[in-house]
Amino acid sequence: MTLLFRMKNVKILHLPLVFVFVHACFAQADFAPFFYGNGPYSNNGNLALFSLSEDTPVGTQIYWLNGTDPEGQEVSYGLSFDPGTKEYLRVDPRNGNITLVEPLDREKQDSIDVIISITDGRSKVTERVTIFVTDANDEKPEFQNMPAIISVLETTESGSSIFKVEAVDRDTGSGGSVTYFLQTPQPTLFTIDRHSGVLRIKIGEMLDYEKTKTHFVTVIAKDGGGVFNGRVQWLSSSATITINVIDGQDTAPSFVGTPYFGYVYEVSVPGSEIFTVKAEDGDVGHPNPIRYSFYEGDDGAFGINETSGCISLLTSPIYLKREIYNIQVKASEVSPEGKLMDYGLTTVVIRVVDLNNNPPTFFGETGPQNMFELTVYEHPPEGEILRGLKIIVNDSDQGANAKFNLRLIGPGRMLRVVPQTVLNEAQVTILVEDSAAMDYEKHQFLTYKLLAVEIDTPERFSATAVIVIHLLDTNDNAPKFSSDYYIARIPENSPGGSNVVSVTATDPDSGPWGEVKYSIYGSGADLFLIQSASGIIYTQPWASLDAEVRSKYNFYVKAEDMEGKYSLAEVFVTVLDLNDHPPAFNDNFLEKTMVIGAPVKIEAVDDDAEVPNNVIEYAIMKADPDNNIFDINSNTGEIKLKSYIKSMAIIQNITKKSDCTWSLVVQARDRGQPSFSTTAVLRIDITEAVKSRFMSYFLGLRTRPGTVFGICLTLVILAISLTIFISTIIYWKSVKKTRIQPHGKIRKIMRRPVP
């Protein structure tokens, strides 16, 4: 017998030689198990050319080792790794299912070497296979030279390249390609080549150090997208480039603190400093020195220091020919070589003025005065002139020195001053602006300050006068109640003259105008009266309040001053119910017929108006015979037999009598404080239940003899009427049969002869 072994890149483990020899001599040959080779696109076999995506979740069953034993023996599978390497996979030895147990990362390890094995218990075959880890788009682009800080000269031409951004994405394919963008929420001076990452100054744009010294540009690096966890995604990163602009000599000097104004006074002397101008080089990063000079307009009367910019007077003020000089001053840059470069111009306005040595002054009828008083009635008409004030204001200077503003300072905007701007002298007029605010009840007097302040002078001289206005009262207010309505409560049966409520109204006017008189009127006022001075409301001496007759009253109270100005308030009076009526039954002796199984009801009425005074509770006080076989509902007054009584036999067994008549003493009690009660005697006849309603009705007639008499009389009348009607019909029928007709015709019957 020959032993055959299949050798295809496999390692066969043999049993001891002696055993093999004996087995070969006495048994059938044993072939080694082997894997199926199903190719690279199969999910079972021997993992030949198998590849696995790096985003495969841990726990996924990725492959099925599949093999067989030629003799049909059961096989088991094994999977191992080289010593020191990470074990990414685990195999089920029985069915060969391979499960991923560690996460994959292609960028760290792009292949996995695995040793797989199959055995039938005697022979074991092993194979070394390589699993390729394929890429998924799980890596963001990474900047290589970012963030970055660069410096760029502001004179750099537009379109120039200023920086190259570099980013790398470790993914493969489209997920590893990188494009560049600028994050620009606002217009920017820069642009970037999306493929090369070259950052440039945008065409048509220039850097300007004087506007912005530093620019912050955010660059976004974005990959080309790829599949990750079953869906396409795009990943991006961002970084910031700080661009510092370097100043260049491209800006002319500019003057600081313009506009400029200077003054020449009548006391000025030649050489007096009038004004100092100041200019700065627009290129603040590397400024050049400044040289000052006159460009035009000085007429030789003024000079300027070329380094400090101080303008001075060269001649006496009496020789100045104009009142205003508009002098143009030139500020030029000086280069390191001493050459004049760019320059800037500004205008200095120099005014020749008289010396301001007189402040404004207020005058009254007798001369200078700073205190004025006036008495007027409150609420003068708006627009009215306060004629009692005679005020003149004057400034003795000339021209602009004599020009000043008038302003009135005081409570609110009640008054207005005219004119508001004065040149030299004016009559001051005070007008009423807000008549309603000039209220005696708020202000007995008003204090204002009248200010005169120079407008165009450096000294800003001013003067102040105090105006005190005393207000006189008028009857301009109606009385006003403390509330629009008053709510009062008074118990019924209160004696006449009882106090109900006190109303209050006030009139802020002074003197007799502030005195208030009260009166009441309305449909509900008949039972009440009011004290005209105090506002206390009483009941009439003869009034008797009864909540059962009327519990609500409302009327109006009037507060009036001496000139008839008034206001109204409404008074609501509630008469509180007292428990002054006991409950009452319709009769002191009541009779009821009770059918076994049905209740009877008693009812009492309480004439009190409100709960709980008119809420009634019922009770059985006494029963005759003594055996009480009834229950009563305390709220409704329903009386019924106790639940164990179902027939007349039970009642007769209890009473030992054939007569089933009970006499009860029932009580009706109200819930008021104090509580009142009433009792009545109730006679109850108990009968057996009758199925016929007609018979039940007639049984109930036993307690109503008047009704029984009426029914009997009606039946007798009906019987008599029916008898008369039938007799009349019989009589007329008999008369009709016996009546003779005298005018009837007699016919002779002719017999036909017999042939």
Side-chain angles (χ1 to χ4, degrees), residues 383-396:
E384 182 175 293
I385 299 174
L386 301 183
R387 301 188 183 280
L389 293 175
K390 296 182 180 180
I391 307 173
I392 294 176
V393 64
N394 174 271
D395 190 321
S396 300

Side-chain angles (χ1 to χ4, degrees), residues 644-708:
Y644 64 85
I645 298 177
K646 305 294 185 180
S647 66
M648 290 292 292
I650 297 175
I651 297 174
Q652 292 170 354
N653 186 40
I654 293 173
T655 61
K656 307 301 182 179
K657 296 179 182 180
S658 60
D659 183 17
C660 294
T661 300
W662 247 261
S663 178
L664 305 179
V665 177
V666 293
Q667 181 190 67
R669 176 181 293 275
D670 63 28
R671 295 183 181 178
Q673 292 294 332
S675 177
F676 293 103
S677 64
T678 301
T679 59
V681 177
L682 173 63
R683 178 179 175 183
I684 299 179
D685 291 331
I686 304 175
T687 64
E688 193 76 55
V690 181
K691 294 184 179 180
S692 171
R693 292 186 180 180
F694 182 76
M695 293 301 295
S696 298
Y697 173 75
F698 275 98
L699 287 175
L701 293 178
R702 295 165 56 190
T703 61
R704 293 182 287 176
T707 305
V708 173

Side-chain angles (χ1 to χ4, degrees), residues 113-366:
D113 291 329
V114 182
I115 301 171
I116 60 175
S117 64
I118 183 172
T119 179
D120 60 0
R122 296 181 178 180
S123 300
K124 182 177 181 181
V125 178
T126 61
E127 294 185 15
R128 176 181 291 273
V129 295
T130 299
I131 299 175
F132 298 98
V133 180
T134 59
D135 189 37
N137 190 24
D138 60 340
E139 297 289 334
K140 293 182 179 180
E142 295 181 0
F143 289 97
Q144 304 299 303
N145 57 350
M146 298 280 279
I149 301 175
I150 62 174
S151 298
V152 181
L153 190 65
E154 69 172 329
T155 56
T156 302
E157 295 182 0
S158 64
S160 299
S161 170
I162 59 175
F163 189 73
K164 186 177 188 319
V165 179
E166 293 182 7
V168 175
D169 193 319
R170 295 189 297 169
D171 289 321
T172 60
S174 62
S177 64
V178 180
T179 54
Y180 303 92
F181 305 91
L182 294 184
Q183 185 177 357
T184 56
Q186 298 177 350
T188 179
L189 302 176
F190 307 95
T191 183
I192 192 170
D193 188 289
R194 61 180 299 177
H195 300 295
S196 66
V198 174
L199 183 68
R200 302 176 184 273
I201 300 174
K202 190 180 292 184
I203 299 295
E205 300 288 351
M206 291 291 292
L207 301 179
D208 191 340
Y209 178 87
E210 286 70 34
K211 289 183 178 179
T212 306
K213 298 178 178 60
T214 303
H215 298 270
F216 299 95
V217 178
T218 300
V219 179
I220 298 174
K222 184 177 180 182
D223 64 20
V227 177
F228 181 75
N229 288 336
R231 61 184 182 87
V232 178
Q233 70 173 5
W234 289 264
L235 300 177
S236 63
S237 301
S238 63
T240 301
I241 303 174
T242 302
I243 302 173
N244 295 320
V245 182
I246 301 174
D247 190 24
Q249 295 298 328
D250 61 343
T251 305
S254 60
F255 286 90
V256 180
T258 58
Y260 296 139
F261 297 95
Y263 299 91
V264 176
Y265 301 100
E266 57 183 345
V267 294
S268 299
V269 296
S272 300
E273 294 183 359
I274 306 301
F275 195 83
T276 298
V277 298
K278 180 176 177 58
E280 294 178 349
D281 188 354
D283 303 308
V284 296
H286 301 282
N288 287 323
I290 303 297
R291 182 176 296 174
Y292 301 95
S293 61
F294 287 139
Y295 189 74
E296 64 179 6
D298 61 296
D299 291 351
F302 302 93
I304 187 170
N305 187 300
E306 66 177 12
T307 56
S308 67
C310 179
I311 300 174
S312 58
L313 181 65
L314 299 181
T315 184
S316 176
I318 61 175
Y319 298 112
L320 298 178
K321 300 179 181 179
R322 289 186 286 169
E323 184 178 351
I324 297 177
Y325 288 84
N326 293 311
I327 302 175
Q328 282 195 309
V329 178
K330 180 179 179 181
S332 303
E333 289 184 59
V334 181
S335 68
E337 295 79 17
K339 295 182 179 180
L340 297 180
M341 301 171 61
D342 288 344
Y343 64 87
L345 296 175
T346 190
T347 299
V348 179
V349 179
I350 298 177
R351 183 186 297 274
V352 181
V353 296
D354 182 29
L355 185 63
N356 184 28
N357 51 9
N358 293 291
T361 305
F362 292 101
F363 294 88
E365 293 181 330
T366 59

